[in-house]
Each structure stands twice: as structure tokens, then as C-alpha cells.
């Protein structure tokens, strides 16, 4: 059994793959460019990929029997053609609920507590020159009794909702599919949720109903001082529109872990935002705690082991 990892670098160098040697002959590549894929998988029985594309041409010119995706999304695989060729495709699910929720809360608290300002205040030696023990020039508020709006109340959205409730927030949600009937939290239509929320976090997939969901037509609905967090997908928030909104007179904050095209391009509108204190971009890491990445590896190992048996 020949097993090929195509983009091991996306799993992190701190993750051990040694146990896969018990399943067969293992070849590991840190990254694989499109023109390298075929050569590397041609003789493979099992292909392990995170973002490397496995299309019809690759399938036709190889002897792949199993494709393991080290993520939940499988849009990089031609699923229909794989099924036609009796190639099994297995992904991993449920590994990121805790880590994404944690990242969501981290981004929100970063803005609420004005951490950039107060960190810079101390590092610039201004506190050393103060005539009082504290410094109150950037007011911050408590989460208690604030309105937290959840867009997409799936597993991750529910985890964030429960954490927000622990902070004694009023939690409301908008169902992007229109099918969620959860009664633990109050359901709202999108317009009402945007108008009334102090913090809004996005946890939905990117599809026809969520593409460009947040744009110039509804960004104006947000309260002054509102915090918008996107840990769903970059295309859900129109990046040109949010970049413009961040530099306008209305106070607005945007924390995102996802960009429409990753890695971020130099010309991305978010790179041109002048009010830097209103924007935090992290490089698609919300999913990637050590625990979550080890869950991915363990599940992938089990997927291959079951297939071999």
C-alpha cells in the first residue's frame, strides 16, 4: 500500500506522521504544485490532501483507490468523477468546534478590551510617566447584557453562542439555510440581527445563499461601535465594502480569519484600510490548535486503516 501526503506543511511541522508507516509505504511532500501532482500520485493507492486539487485528469492517469482530505471541505476533489471510478473519498469533521469558537472569542475580546492601545501605551513608556496608577483614555465595556448575533448556528455557532451566554450576553441567531429551528436561542431575520447586535460572528459555509451576504447595503445597518467577526469563509463578507466601511465616520470593527483568496493578495482592499486599529486579520488559523490538528491526523489514520483492512 503506497500512501502519499501532498501538502504536509498545512498540518504543521509539530504533528507526527510516523504511525502511518505501519500502514504502508509513505511518501511525504510539504507542498505540491499543480504541475507536480500527477507525478506524485501516479502510483499511489492512497492520497492525503488538504488543498491540492484531485481532478478528472489526475484520477484517469493514476491508480488511486482512496482520497483522504485533511479538512471538512472536499471542493478540491472531483467527487462525482471519483464516485464514478469507485474511488472512496473520506474527509474529517467535528475537529474544530472548540478551536474556532476560542478564536472567535479572542478576536471579539481583542477589540472590546482595546488591547492594541493599552499594550502600546505601556510599551511606549507613557505609563512610566503617568501621575496616576491607571489609564482610562480608551473606554471599554463588559459583555454582560450586550447583544451577540450568530450567523450560522451549526456546531461551531452553538459553541460560540453558549460561551457568549456564559458572559451573560443576549444571544440571537440567523439561519442562513432557513432550516434551523433551534429554540435554545432566539431566531432573528438578518436585518434585525445586524441592527440590534453589538457583536456579530459568522460561522456559516460559503454557498449561494451566503456569498456576499454582508455588503454595503446592510453594513450601514450595524450599530456604531459594532464588532463583526468572520470565521466562516472570506466570500461571505464583501471585502471592498467592509474596507470602505472601516474607514468611514461610523465606528466599526472587523476581525477575520478568512479571506476570499488565500493567502491574501497585496491588492486586497483590506490591506488598504487606514484605521488599522479597527481591523485584525489572522492567516486562517482558527481551525488549527494542536489538539484539532492531532484529531485530523488520528481520523485520517483511522480512515486509511479501515480502508486497508
Amino acid at each position: 500500500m503506497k500512501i502519499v501526503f501532498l501538502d504536509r506543511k498545512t498540518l504543521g511541522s509539530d504533528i507526527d506522521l510516523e504511525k502511518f508507516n505501519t500502514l504502508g509505504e509513505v511518501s511525504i511532500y510539504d507542498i505540491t504544485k499543480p504541475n507536480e501532482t500527477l507525478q506524485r500520485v501516479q502510483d499511489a493507492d492512497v492520497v492525503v490532501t488538504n488543498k491540492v486539487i484531485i481532478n478528472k485528469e489526475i484520477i484517469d492517469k493514476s491508480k488511486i483507490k482512496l482520497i483522504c482530505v485533511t479538512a471538512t471541505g472536499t471542493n478540491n476533489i472531483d467527487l462525482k468523477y471519483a464516485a464514478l471510478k469507485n474511488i472512496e473519498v473520506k474527509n474529517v469533521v467535528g475537529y474544530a468546534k472548540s478551536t474556532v469558537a476560542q478564536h472567535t472569542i479572542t478576536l471579539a475580546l481583542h477589540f472590546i478590551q482595546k488591547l492594541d492601545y493599552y499594550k502600546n501605551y505601556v510599551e511606549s513608556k507613557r505609563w512610566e510617566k503617568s501621575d496616576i496608577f491607571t489609564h482610562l483614555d480608551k473606554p471599554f465595556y463588559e459583555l454582560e447584557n450586550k447583544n451577540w448575533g450568530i450567523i450560522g448556528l451549526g456546531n461551531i455557532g452553538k459553541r460560540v453562542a453558549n460561551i457568549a451566554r456564559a458572559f451573560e450576553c443576549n444571544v440571537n441567531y440567523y439561519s442562513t439555510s432557513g432550516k434551523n429551528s433551534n429554540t435554545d436561542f432566539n431566531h432573528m431575520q438578518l436585518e434585525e440581527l445586524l441592527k440590534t447586535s453589538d457583536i456579530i460572528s459568522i460561522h456559516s459555509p460559503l454557498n449561494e445563499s451566503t456569498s456576499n451576504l454582508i455588503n454595503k447595503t446592510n453594513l450601514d445597518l450595524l450599530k456604531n461601535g459594532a464588532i463583526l467577526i468572520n470565521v466562516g469563509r472570506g466570500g461571505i463578507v464583501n471585502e471592498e465594502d467592509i474596507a470602505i466601511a472601516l474607514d468611514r465616520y461610523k465606528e466599526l470593527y472587523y476581525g477575520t480569519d478568512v479571506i476570499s483568496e488565500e493567502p491574501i493578495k497585496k491588492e486586497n482592499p483590506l490591506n488598504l484600510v487606514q484605521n488599522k486599529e479597527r481591523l485584525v486579520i489572522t492567516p486562517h488559523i482558527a481551525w488549527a490548535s494542536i489538539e484539532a490538528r492531532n484529531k485530523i491526523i488520528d481520523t485520517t489514520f483511522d480512515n486509511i486503516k479501515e480502508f486497508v483492512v
Side-chain angles (χ1 to χ4, degrees):
M1 180 70 63
K2 185 172 182 180
I3 304 167
V4 177
F5 283 78
L6 292 176
D7 47 1
R8 188 254 191 278
K9 194 173 182 179
T10 64
L11 300 170
S13 59
D14 56 329
I15 299 298
D16 187 7
L17 303 180
E18 185 65 29
K19 64 182 177 181
F20 287 90
N21 290 317
T22 64
L23 300 177
E25 177 190 344
V26 181
S27 298
I28 298 175
Y29 301 97
D30 274 348
I31 58 172
T32 297
K33 298 176 182 177
N35 62 349
E36 298 172 328
T37 306
L38 180 57
Q39 180 188 357
R40 293 179 176 181
V41 306
Q42 217 159 16
D43 298 321
D45 300 292
V46 179
V47 173
V48 183
T49 174
N50 189 326
K51 295 293 181 283
V52 177
I53 293 172
I54 307 295
N55 56 25
K56 180 179 182 295
E57 179 189 4
I58 299 296
I59 291 171
D60 275 339
K61 295 180 179 180
S62 66
K63 61 171 190 176
I64 300 170
K65 299 180 181 68
L66 171 66
I67 301 170
C68 287
V69 182
T70 54
T72 301
T74 55
N75 56 305
N76 55 320
I77 313 298
D78 190 330
L79 295 175
K80 289 183 179 178
Y81 197 68
L84 187 66
K85 291 291 186 175
N86 294 316
I87 297 171
E88 198 167 352
V89 178
K90 293 190 175 185
N91 63 344
V92 289
V93 297
Y95 63 90
K97 179 169 64 174
S98 294
T99 183
V100 176
Q102 179 175 297
H103 197 78
T104 303
I105 302 300
T106 299
L107 288 171
L109 291 176
H110 172 88
F111 290 123
I112 292 167
Q113 296 294 143
K114 312 296 184 188
L115 287 184
D116 272 347
Y117 174 81
Y118 284 111
K119 181 175 183 290
N120 291 334
Y121 175 76
V122 174
E123 289 181 349
S124 66
K125 309 298 182 182
R126 283 178 287 166
W127 193 25
E128 296 175 13
K129 301 171 185 176
S130 175
D131 54 359
I132 60 172
F133 76 96
T134 188
H135 181 73
L136 304 173
D137 284 11
K138 280 282 184 181
F140 55 89
Y141 58 82
E142 297 177 359
L143 276 170
E144 185 177 356
N145 293 323
K146 296 299 184 293
N147 296 327
W148 192 306
I150 306 280
I151 296 178
L153 196 70
N155 288 332
I156 294 171
K158 279 188 281 188
R159 176 62 67 95
V160 172
N162 283 319
I163 296 172
R165 180 175 277 177
F167 277 109
E168 299 189 35
C169 292
N170 306 310
V171 180
N172 306 290
Y173 77 96
Y174 167 69
S175 172
T176 57
S177 67
K179 298 176 182 177
N180 196 323
S181 56
N182 186 297
T183 56
D184 292 334
F185 303 97
N186 181 51
H187 179 265
M188 285 184 173
Q189 293 304 311
L190 181 61
E191 183 174 310
E192 183 184 8
L193 183 134
L194 295 178
K195 282 181 178 178
T196 58
S197 296
D198 300 289
I199 305 102
I200 301 156
S201 56
I202 300 171
H203 309 283
S204 54
L206 179 63
N207 52 41
E208 288 184 3
S209 63
T210 62
S211 179
N212 204 42
L213 183 70
I214 306 299
N215 55 68
K216 61 184 176 183
T217 62
N218 53 32
L219 279 169
D220 280 339
L221 300 176
L222 269 62
K223 296 168 67 172
N224 193 53
I227 296 169
L228 177 64
I229 306 294
N230 186 7
V231 291
R233 285 292 181 266
I236 296 173
V237 176
N238 185 296
E239 288 165 352
E240 184 173 356
D241 293 346
I242 188 70
I244 292 171
L246 290 169
D247 279 335
R248 287 191 317 203
Y249 65 91
K250 179 188 280 189
E251 190 177 357
L252 175 66
Y253 299 91
Y254 184 48
T256 185
D257 186 56
V258 286
I259 298 295
S260 57
E261 189 175 357
E262 297 171 346
I264 192 170
K265 303 300 179 187
K266 182 180 179 180
E267 60 273 17
N268 188 294
L270 293 173
N271 281 332
L272 304 177
V273 170
Q274 298 301 304
N275 288 328
K276 302 294 185 185
E277 75 283 358
R278 297 185 183 183
L279 173 66
V280 170
I281 304 172
T282 52
H284 206 139
I285 58 167
W287 65 277
S289 68
I290 293 172
E291 293 85 353
R293 286 182 286 125
N294 274 310
K295 287 177 189 174
I296 290 172
I297 291 305
D298 291 343
T299 302
T300 301
F301 179 83
D302 290 341
N303 286 341
I304 299 174
K305 186 176 179 181
E306 288 170 10
F307 179 79
V308 172
V309 172

